[in-house]
Amino acid sequence: QVTLVESGGGLVQAGGSLRLSCVASGGTFSRYAMGWFRQAPGKEREFVAGIIRGGGSTPYADSVKGRFTISRDNAKSTVYLQMNSLKPEDTAVYYCAADQVLHNIRVLTPESWGQGTQVTVSS
């Protein structure tokens, strides 16, 4: 398993932007599909975005399509989530996830996940 550490969360006004980062250690980063999911208070955990090992496929949840962009830098063992046009309903704890199979991230059963970073969007 890899260890994942997220950063970049914070408080932002609606319409603003944030970029989340997740640094992986303890494994060969390029062998892992990566992704992000989130959990809002009182709600179930939700898949947000994923990216395959080579970066060529990037599925998104319908709720974030066109606003969020996932990317990765294998040389830095880092995955990013650029979040634009943020809405109050994007408020949640965002978790980074890693698995050798992207499907496992999409169904919220990844091999590894981080501690999460809080994103709060004010109206």
Side-chain angles (χ1 to χ4, degrees):
Q1 289 187 342
V2 293
T3 300
L4 304 173
V5 179
E6 303 97 334
S7 62
L11 174 64
V12 64
Q13 289 188 332
S17 298
L18 283 174
R19 188 176 81 154
L20 306 183
S21 300
C22 171
V23 179
S25 61
T28 304
F29 182 75
S30 60
R31 292 182 179 176
Y32 289 89
M34 301 295 296
W36 293 90
F37 56 93
R38 66 187 181 185
Q39 188 165 21
K43 294 189 177 181
E44 293 186 352
R45 199 162 286 186
E46 173 190 26
F47 170 79
V48 174
I51 187 166
I52 62 172
R53 288 176 283 184
S57 176
T58 54
Y60 294 92
D62 287 344
S63 57
V64 306
K65 278 181 183 177
R67 299 188 298 121
F68 290 11
T69 302
I70 188 171
S71 61
R72 65 188 295 159
D73 185 337
N74 285 350
K76 295 182 178 179
S77 297
T78 302
V79 62
Y80 304 97
L81 186 68
Q82 178 67 44
M83 305 185 294
N84 299 328
S85 302
L86 283 161
K87 305 175 181 180
E89 51 264 43
D90 294 318
T91 295
V93 177
Y94 284 71
Y95 298 89
C96 177
D99 199 286
Q100 295 196 33
V101 179
L102 181 60
H103 172 76
N104 292 339
I105 296 175
R106 297 192 70 168
V107 297
L108 306 179
T109 57
E111 174 183 324
S112 303
W113 60 86
Q115 294 298 308
T117 185
Q118 176 71 46
V119 171
T120 303
V121 184
S122 63
S123 57

